[in-house]
Amino acid sequence: MRDPEQTLEDLSKILDELKERSKDEVILVEGQKDRAALTVLGIDSEVWQVQGPNSIFSTAERLAIEGRSAIILTDWDRKGGQLARLLRDGLRANGVRYDDQLRLRLVQLVKMEIKDIESLPAFFTRLVSLSHNSDLKQRLEDVPKYKAKKYLRPKP
């Protein structure tokens, strides 16, 4: 593992950027657990689950109709990579602006440790426990405890 403090600092920057940028953009994730993980990390923006080929294109069409842009944040396993490609194609075909650079930066940072979005909160907690940075430990204590609840996919 890289230096835990440096990894934690880099991960915190990515998460802070995601929090700031996602106020205007919809975050696209694979499933319910990914959505819950983002909530645990304090990202309270609009998050849409996209699973299956039909929902990808209906999601792209809906974003185009609403004139919104998206942040692609799928897992970095094989399925997540395929889904990211399908999302890029669908969004591009519908003229929807999208960002997949945050995903790429996140993958480069954590791919040796974890493989998906749902593992981020536990990984973040582990980094904080290995770190000597008291500000980040306080940040972890301030994260609300999340109780899982069922999320429904938005209707196109």
Side-chain angles (χ1 to χ4, degrees), residues 94-108:
N94 283 280
V96 175
R97 287 181 325 145
Y98 65 89
D99 178 2
D100 59 352
Q101 293 303 305
L102 282 173
R103 176 184 179 271
L104 180 61
R105 287 173 43 210
L106 188 60
V107 169
Q108 291 171 340

Side-chain angles (χ1 to χ4, degrees), residues 2 10-11 15 19 21 24 29 42 47 51 64 84 102 115 123 136 156:
R2 293 179 33 188
D10 294 344
L11 180 57
L15 293 174
K19 286 177 192 175
R21 293 197 38 225
D24 301 323
V29 297
V47 179
Q51 292 179 329
L102 282 173
K115 64 176 180 57
F123 182 65
L136 289 170

